[in-house]
């Protein structure tokens, strides 16, 4: 076993130094040896020692993806001289082919990029926008709105990924798209997960989707060939003419994708009366711009963490929870904490309840509403909120949102509003998170979605004059159901909701690509998850596993997770992936004794992660067995 194969999480406190001793580090390093620690970490503070990984190490790049074919696409692009941005975009397009129910060019997401040369970390926000014709009450009285055209937001992935490749990539977009075009054209063997999630009520929402996802009337057989020639043709159009071919109707160039989106989102034929199509126009598509934003930033036990900013609620919520939890010795089993203990889950659960209460009121698209980001993360505000967490007691009654406005700097107070609705999605089938790192030190952490499984269950496309269907091969999102589907009022202020629909606005998201940095500012770990609002808690669980419980990267991903995405006391439980042990029955009973309801075990999230060892620069990946997580590192090991 090499020193990096060890499992330091099993060794608390100073015992970590003994592990390091086996790697050539003394258990009590003198100050003059401090240079052997990564900059900024101190040998006398083993609690601040960086999280570690085990397993194969790479130097020339690594990708961690929820699907093996898409991981291969990313690895090929790295091998062809692409950087992490190129690889990430190749993966995103490939996932549209092999995980079409989860994400693709019909949707959007958040692409967090760290560039080694400049040291800059930023997020390309490709979140969908409400069309100009959208109104706050557009979902009112509409049955099954998540299956109708009215739910479709203006897609952002094509514009944002093209911007990313043009500005930060090393290859042409056409080359980056090549693996995905090939996958769609030549096909792939249906994986168990593809087969399992392909045919359901959502994919049956339109005849064309039903024919594709339920071939012969039922789910495809594992191993059967899945080809998507229309999607290959769409990708070729984008490769040849660039993103404008997606966003502008230019029949003279053969660019008719915009027509397929605009006519596709007029879909108003769900399995219920009173269907409602969307109002998207060519102008909405032409006007779509991706935004480049600074992530929110905070620290946890000395580790700098950056995470997705509004319109995602993810970064603010995770940083609030971490700050509330910092005063508890989460990793210390001797004090009754430690992984999976009643005490640890008790404080985690109540931190979730407090943070999700704030999320329901104060978070939305900061381009439209004054999200009080500073106030929400102000140390005194978080301390005051977190004081309600008492180990051994379940917070009761259910928490209400706090008021961060007094902690927000002057001039940021205006127009407080509310956001109350939850996304319609469950954690199962949709959205995808992946990470790509290259040999130059660039890292991309990217969460991408079309919201619910199969979006609205309708392909972009239109009827030709002869009655045949011109299919563009990708599903339209139902992202606008992440808005409040009923206009809401802030109980504090009486004004309209932060997350109410407005024309041009982006719906509040939970997606939270995240990175932990070394004190020197290099990315140490990049990670994230799908799972609707549980995304935020998956990221929280993994963060505590790494920093408090000293798990290796893969152990942190495999371990059981807990989640509460509201203010109530029902804890969703995920029992982890072997070899991780499930949560002990004693813990479940202990939580019940405190008054929590603990759900039956069910998967929460699908975390993909990369760790870059600050001592050696070696790269490690971890992928989630809850889906078909795959790590490919370079140079390839035999058989990979
Ligand atoms: N649309 C959701 C969001 O942006 C993601 C959907 C999911 O992960 O299930 O938060």
């Amino acid at each position: 076993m090499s020193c990096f194969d060890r499992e330091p999480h099993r060794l608390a406190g100073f015992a970590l130094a003994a592990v390091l001793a086996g790697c050539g580090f003394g258990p009590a390093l003198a100050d003059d040896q401090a240079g052997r620690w990564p900059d900024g970490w101190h040998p006398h503070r083993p609690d601040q020692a960086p999280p570690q990984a085990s397993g194969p190490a790479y130097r020339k790049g690594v990708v961690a993806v929820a699907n093996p074919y898409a991981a291969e696409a990313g690895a090929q692009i790295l091998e062809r001289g692409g950087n992490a941005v190129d690889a990430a975009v190749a993966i995103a397009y490939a996932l549209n082919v092999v995980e079409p129910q989860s994400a693709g060019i019909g949707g959007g997401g958040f692409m967090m990029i760290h560039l080694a040369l400049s040291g800059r970390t930023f997020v390309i926000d490709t979140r969908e926008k409400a069309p100009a014709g959208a109104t706050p009450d557009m979902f009112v009285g509409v049955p099954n709105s998540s299956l109708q055209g009215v739910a479709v937001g203006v897609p952002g992935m094509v514009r944002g990924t093209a911007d990313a490749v043009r500005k930060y990539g090393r290859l042409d977009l056409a080359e980056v798209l090549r693996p995905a075009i090939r996958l769609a054209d030549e096909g792939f063997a249906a994986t168990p997960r593809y087969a399992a999630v392909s045919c359901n009520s959502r994919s049956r929402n339109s005849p064309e989707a039903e024919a594709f996802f339920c071939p012969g009337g039922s789910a495809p057989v594992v191993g059967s060939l899945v080809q998507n020639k229309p999607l290959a043709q769409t990708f070729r159009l984008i490769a040849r003419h660039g993103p404008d071919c997606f966003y502008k109707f230019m029949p003279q160039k053969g660019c008719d994708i915009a027509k397929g989106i605009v006519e596709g989102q007029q879909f108003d034929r769900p399995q219920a009366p009173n269907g409602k199509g969307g109002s998207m126009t060519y102008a909405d598509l032409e006007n779509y711009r991706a935004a480049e934003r600074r992530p929110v930033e905070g620290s946890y036990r000395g580790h700098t963490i950056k995470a997705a900013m509004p319109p995602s609620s993810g970064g603010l919520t995770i940083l609030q929870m971490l700050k509330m939890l910092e005063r508890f010795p989460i990793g210390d089993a001797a004090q009754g904490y430690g992984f999976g203990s009643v005490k640890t889950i008790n404080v985690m659960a109540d931190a979730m309840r407090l943070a999700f209460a704030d999320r329901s009121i104060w978070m939305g698209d900061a381009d439209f509403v004054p999200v009080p980001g500073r106030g929400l993360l102000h140390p005194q505000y978080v301390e005051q909120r977190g004081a309600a967490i008492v180990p051994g007691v379940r917070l009761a009654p259910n928490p209400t949102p706090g008021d961060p406005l007094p902690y927000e700097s002057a001039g940021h107070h205006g127009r407080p509003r509310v956001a109350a609705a939850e996304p319609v999605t469950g954690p199962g089938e949709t959205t995808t998170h992946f990470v790509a790192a290259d040999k130059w030190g660039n890292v991309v952490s990217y969460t991408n979605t079309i919201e619910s499984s199969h979006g609205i269950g309708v392909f972009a496309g239109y009827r030709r004059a002869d009655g045949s269907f011109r299919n563009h091969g990708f599903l339209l999102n139902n992202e606008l159901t992440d808005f409040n589907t009923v206009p809401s009022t802030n109980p504090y202020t009486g004004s309209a909701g932060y997350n109410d629909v407005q024309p041009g606005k982006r719906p509040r998201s939970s997606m939270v690509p995240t990175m932990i940095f070394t004190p020197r500012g290099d990315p140490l770990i990049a990670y994230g998850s799908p799972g609707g609002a549980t995304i935020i808690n998956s990221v929280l669980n993994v963060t505590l596993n790494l920093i408090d419980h000293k798990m290796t990267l893969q152990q942190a991903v495999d371990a059981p997770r807990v989640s509460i995405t509201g203010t109530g006391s029902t804890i969703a439980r995920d029992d982890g992936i072997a070899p991780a042990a499930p949560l002990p029955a004693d813990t479940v009973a202990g939580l019940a004794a405190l008054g929590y309801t603990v759900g039956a075990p069910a998967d929460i999230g699908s975390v993909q992660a990369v760790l870059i060892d600050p001592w050696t620069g070696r790269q490690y990946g971890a992928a989630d067995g809850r889906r078909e997580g795959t790590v490919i590192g370079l140079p390839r090991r035999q058989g990979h």
Side-chain angles (χ1 to χ4, degrees), residues 110 127 423 425-427 430-431 449 451-452 479 482 508-511 530-533 535:
F110 296 96
R127 184 75 167 165
T425 353
T430 180
T431 312
T449 191
E451 166 52 2
S452 301
E479 213 70 58
D482 274 357
R508 183 189 63 198
S509 173
S510 300
M511 291 187 284
I535 290 171

Side-chain angles (χ1 to χ4, degrees), residues 445-469:
S445 184
Y446 190 168
T447 316
N448 207 23
T449 191
I450 53 171
E451 166 52 2
S452 301
S453 177
H454 301 89
I456 61 163
V458 174
F459 283 120
Y462 59 90
R463 275 278 142 233
R464 299 186 185 94
D466 65 4
S468 63
F469 186 67

Side-chain angles (χ1 to χ4, degrees), residues 129-302:
K129 287 183 165 202
T135 58
D137 61 353
M138 69 185 189
F139 291 113
V140 176
V142 179
N144 293 337
S145 54
S146 78
L147 286 166
Q148 303 203 40
V150 67
V152 181
V154 183
M157 180 184 138
V158 172
R159 181 64 72 195
T161 51
D163 289 351
V165 168
R166 179 173 46 82
K167 290 167 80 172
Y168 307 113
R170 297 184 85 234
L171 305 180
D172 287 345
L173 186 63
E175 187 165 2
V176 168
L177 264 49
R178 206 165 286 156
I181 292 172
R182 196 164 164 189
L183 260 180
D185 210 19
E186 296 177 8
F188 64 98
T191 62
R193 179 166 183 274
Y194 180 90
V197 303
S198 185
C199 185
N200 57 33
S201 60
R202 301 194 66 87
S203 61
R204 283 205 185 95
N205 199 37
S206 64
E208 294 80 17
E210 179 167 23
F212 183 82
F213 291 107
C214 312
S218 54
V221 176
V222 175
S224 60
L225 185 70
V226 180
Q227 287 172 296
N228 191 338
K229 300 268 183 197
L231 186 59
Q233 202 189 344
T234 297
F235 287 173
R236 276 197 198 94
L237 283 172
I238 297 169
R240 191 173 312 137
H241 301 292
D244 282 354
C245 189
F246 182 91
Y247 288 97
K248 292 182 185 165
F249 181 42
M250 301 186 290
Q252 67 285 6
K253 286 189 175 176
C255 295
D256 63 346
I257 308 168
K259 184 174 168 69
I261 298 170
V262 166
E263 296 197 13
Q265 59 88 52
Q266 287 161 3
F267 182 83
D268 63 353
R269 302 180 300 279
Q271 324 305 324
N274 311 323
K276 188 169 180 179
S279 61
M280 200 189 306
T281 61
Y282 290 129
D284 288 317
L285 275 168
E286 279 190 35
N287 290 337
Y288 184 89
R289 299 284 177 276
E292 207 170 290
R293 304 187 194 275
R294 268 177 55 184
V296 291
E297 183 175 336
S299 73
Y300 182 62
R301 302 199 197 283

